[in-house]
Amino acid sequence: MSYKSKQDIKNELNEPMMAYAVQGSVPSFYNLLGGAKSVKLSTDFDIINLARKGFPKSVLLSLAKKISLNIQELANILHISERTLQRYDDDAIIKTEYAEKAVELARLYTRGDEVFGSMDKFKIWIKTPSHVFKGEAPVTILDTSAGFDMVFKELGRIEHGIFA
C-alpha cells in the first residue's frame, strides 16, 4: 500500500442514529408534596424554586394529612405556633424555612415507606418510643436537623439489618 492509499481510509465510528434523552424522573416524595392542584412538580429545580418561594398552607396541611400528623405535631416540627399556622389562609404562602422542613418531611416519610415496605408500618414506627432515641418517639426529634439525620441514619441501619 502506498502512502496515498493509507490516507484515503477514514477513521470513523459508524453507529445507528439514536436519540439520547434523560428522562425527567420525579422523586417519589414529590407525590406527598403535590397534593394541592396549584403545585406542579416535575424536576428538582421546581422543588427548589417552590421551596424558595414558600408553600401554600394547603400543601402543608395536605402533607400532614398524608403522613398522619396533626396540626400540633406539624407546628412543632416546623417551629411555628399552632395558632399562627391556623391563622394563615389556605392559599397563603408559608415562609421558606417551613417549606424546607416540609420537603425534608416528605423525603423522610418516602424513605421510611421504602425501608418498611409500607407507609402504614413506617407511621407506626415513627410514633413509637424507641431505645435508640433515648425513649422518645422518632417524630418528636424531627424539630431539629440533627433529629432528621438521626432518623435517616436509623432507617439505613434498619434497611441493612443493623439493630441497636
Side-chain angles (χ1 to χ4, degrees):
M1 239 191 213
S2 71
Y3 176 73
K4 189 168 180 148
S5 65
K6 284 184 182 177
Q7 224 175 16
D8 292 340
I9 300 172
K10 294 182 181 177
N11 192 10
E12 290 181 359
L13 175 63
N14 291 319
E15 66 180 52
M17 182 74 96
M18 175 68 115
Y20 296 98
V22 177
Q23 196 174 40
S25 64
V26 179
S28 55
F29 72 88
Y30 288 164
N31 297 333
L32 289 175
L33 293 173
K37 293 175 185 164
S38 61
V39 179
K40 300 272 192 237
L41 304 169
S42 59
T43 67
D44 288 337
F45 287 105
D46 290 342
I47 198 72
I48 289 169
N49 290 331
L50 188 61
R52 284 179 178 163
K53 292 176 187 173
F55 288 129
K57 176 186 170 187
S58 59
V59 171
L60 292 176
L61 295 180
S62 173
L63 171 65
K65 185 176 181 178
K66 289 176 183 177
I67 63 176
S68 300
L69 290 180
N70 60 39
I71 298 279
Q72 183 180 12
E73 291 168 324
L74 180 65
N76 288 340
I77 291 169
L78 298 178
H79 291 281
I80 185 173
S81 76
E82 184 180 347
R83 181 72 184 123
T84 301
L85 184 58
Q86 288 176 344
R87 271 189 280 211
Y88 281 105
D89 291 331
D90 281 346
D91 58 346
I93 301 298
I94 310 294
K95 293 181 184 178
T96 303
E97 53 268 19
Y98 308 136
E100 288 183 57
K101 284 277 195 171
V103 169
E104 284 302 303
L105 264 176
R107 288 182 59 230
L108 178 69
Y109 274 75
T110 301
R111 182 74 175 117
D113 183 21
E114 292 168 0
V115 170
F116 282 86
S118 156
M119 183 64 81
D120 292 333
K121 289 178 184 176
F122 178 69
K123 288 176 188 177
I124 292 168
W125 177 83
I126 201 154
K127 291 191 176 189
T128 304
S130 172
H131 176 69
V132 175
F133 302 110
K134 306 241 185 230
E136 290 188 48
V139 74
T140 63
I141 64 171
L142 296 180
D143 59 338
T144 65
S145 59
F148 271 97
D149 288 344
M150 287 174 65
V151 174
F152 271 114
K153 286 178 184 175
E154 187 59 25
L155 287 174
R157 288 185 198 100
I158 291 169
E159 182 177 39
H160 295 289
I162 304 168
F163 295 101

